[in-house]
Amino acid sequence: MAIIVTLDVMLAKRKMKSKDLAEAIGITTANLSILKSGKAKAVRFSTLEAICKALECQPSDILEYRK
């Protein structure tokens, strides 16, 4: 099972820097980096919701499942 995080793509589309997103959603840039790299073991729904709200997107815009 592979969950691919495409947060970088959405950040580029929105012309937003990781630092700005981290500040907007209230997490550290280090934690956002872990999430962006796909190394996170879990993500809270509240964090996912905050990311989607800040980027005006859907969870499927930043997460993808590949076999």
Side-chain angles (χ1 to χ4, degrees):
M1 174 176 81
I3 301 295
I4 309 302
V5 180
T6 56
L7 187 53
D8 282 337
V9 174
M10 190 54 62
L11 282 167
K13 286 182 181 178
R14 299 295 190 254
K15 296 182 173 118
M16 183 182 278
K17 294 182 181 181
S18 295
K19 179 183 173 189
D20 297 331
L21 178 61
E23 288 176 7
I25 65 174
I27 65 171
T28 65
T29 54
N31 282 339
L32 184 60
S33 178
I34 291 168
L35 179 59
K36 282 177 31 181
S37 70
K39 294 182 180 178
K41 297 295 181 192
V43 60
R44 293 176 189 248
F45 281 136
S46 59
T47 302
L48 184 58
E49 179 181 4
I51 291 170
C52 290
K53 188 174 184 179
L55 295 176
E56 298 179 355
C57 67
Q58 294 294 314
S60 61
D61 294 327
I62 56 175
L63 298 173
E64 180 183 335
Y65 169 74
R66 291 188 193 159
K67 290 184 180 181

